[in-house]
Amino acid sequence: MKESYENVNQTCHKRKYADQIIIALDVKDIKSAYKLVDTLKNIASFYKVGMELLAQPGALDLVKELKQQGHKVFLDAKLYDIGRTVEAAVANYAALEIDFLTIHAEYNTVKAAVKATHATQLKLLAVTVMTNMNDGDLRLMGIDNMTVEQLVKKRALQSYELGAHGIISSAQEANMIRNICGEKCIICTPGIRPKGFDSNDQKRVVTPQYAFQNGADYIVMGRAITQADNPQKVLTMILQDLNNTAT
């Protein structure tokens, strides 16, 4: 499945950035999520619902409402379990007609998840190495023979060849993934911070401009926007900066 892809697409002005920035609804409760969506409704069209909200009553109703409003939904469930359980969970999530679903880039997990996506529109994105991890963290996990980059490369290629539609990784590895997995592979990168914003608990962070220039198809942005006094203003400024960079 590997395709030749030597040159990363640098024509950023052709990208519809507003559709490629996924807003992470990592907020304290469902009410806050609805409020944020309403605030950004004229700009944002793609939202991530992660573990923080999934643990609250009404989370799946929020997902359904987002789809009814015409938005795209990225369900960041990071599934990792025995094959039968993963396959059943993916099938249930696919029934919600969500767009992206994350699974861990573990061989049996990916293989089982792929079975459940046949005849659906759901795109599976495999999580390689979390963006809050570095080489030292791998050592703590007992992985002594690989760097983060090497592990990302191995997991990305294996997951894509098993049938995952895309890869979640730091934008620092996006160009590498593009080269080994090809142009059709969806590359989605968290750990994005505009210049001047705190990296918080992330360790492999980049700016939105760098992420797109390095080959990302989508970027996930949370606190820089969601915790701002004026989220709409911050997102508008980010979009303006991206378009100015592309011209």
Side-chain angles (χ1 to χ4, degrees):
M1 294 181 67
K2 189 190 302 183
E3 303 172 29
S4 175
Y5 195 89
E6 297 180 354
N7 298 315
V8 173
N9 184 1
Q10 299 293 330
T11 56
C12 296
H13 63 283
K14 295 181 180 180
R15 297 181 184 273
K16 296 180 180 179
Y17 289 117
D19 297 328
Q20 292 172 275
I21 296 179
I22 302 174
I23 306 299
L25 296 177
D26 297 333
V27 291
K28 62 181 180 179
D29 52 41
I30 298 295
K31 182 178 179 180
S32 298
Y34 278 111
K35 182 178 179 180
L36 182 61
V37 171
D38 186 63
T39 298
L40 298 175
K41 63 183 178 182
N42 294 323
I43 307 177
S45 62
F46 211 149
Y47 293 94
K48 179 179 82 75
V49 176
M51 293 183 186
E52 190 172 355
L53 280 185
L54 281 175
Q56 297 196 32
L60 295 185
D61 289 333
L62 169 64
V63 169
K64 293 176 183 177
E65 178 64 25
L66 288 171
K67 292 301 299 180
Q68 289 175 1
Q69 292 180 12
H71 297 301
K72 288 187 175 182
V73 175
F74 167 14
L75 195 60
D76 191 17
K78 295 186 179 73
L79 299 179
Y80 181 31
D81 210 313
I82 63 173
R84 183 177 179 181
T85 299
V86 169
E87 185 177 352
V90 172
N92 287 336
Y93 283 136
L96 296 174
E97 299 185 345
I98 58 175
D99 300 275
F100 290 173
L101 174 68
T102 52
I103 56 176
H104 274 283
E106 186 272 329
Y107 182 89
N108 290 316
T109 296
V110 177
K111 189 175 180 179
V114 168
K115 290 182 182 179
T117 62
H118 298 314
T120 75
Q121 298 300 310
L122 177 61
K123 303 299 183 186
L124 291 174
L125 303 185
V127 179
T128 53
V129 178
M130 301 286 285
T131 52
N132 68 336
M133 299 182 69
N134 57 24
D135 292 345
D137 294 304
L138 293 188
R139 304 291 88 78
L140 293 174
M141 293 173 62
I143 302 175
D144 300 320
N145 61 340
M146 282 187 173
T147 63
V148 165
E149 183 175 311
Q150 290 170 332
L151 186 56
V152 168
K153 183 176 182 180
K154 178 180 179 178
R155 288 178 170 176
L157 181 58
Q158 182 182 73
S159 297
Y160 193 63
E161 289 181 337
L162 284 171
H165 304 91
I167 304 297
I168 299 285
S169 77
S170 165
Q172 294 177 8
E173 294 107 29
N175 191 10
M176 174 188 69
I177 292 171
R178 182 66 70 205
N179 284 323
I180 65 173
C181 293
E183 186 175 3
K184 293 182 180 180
C185 178
I186 300 169
I187 299 177
C188 183
T189 63
I192 306 297
R193 296 289 187 275
K195 290 181 180 180
F197 282 77
D198 196 318
S199 61
N200 300 116
D201 55 353
Q202 301 285 5
K203 295 180 181 177
R204 293 173 8 253
V205 299
V206 301
T207 63
Q209 289 85 349
Y210 178 92
F212 284 125
Q213 290 170 355
N214 206 42
D217 296 300
Y218 298 90
I219 63 175
V220 179
M221 299 196 68
R223 281 169 281 194
I225 295 171
T226 61
Q227 295 184 6
D229 292 334
N230 190 332
Q232 189 176 64
K233 180 179 179 180
V234 172
L235 179 55
T236 299
M237 290 174 60
I238 292 170
L239 290 170
Q240 289 175 342
D241 286 344
L242 284 167
N243 286 313
N244 290 338
T245 302
T247 57

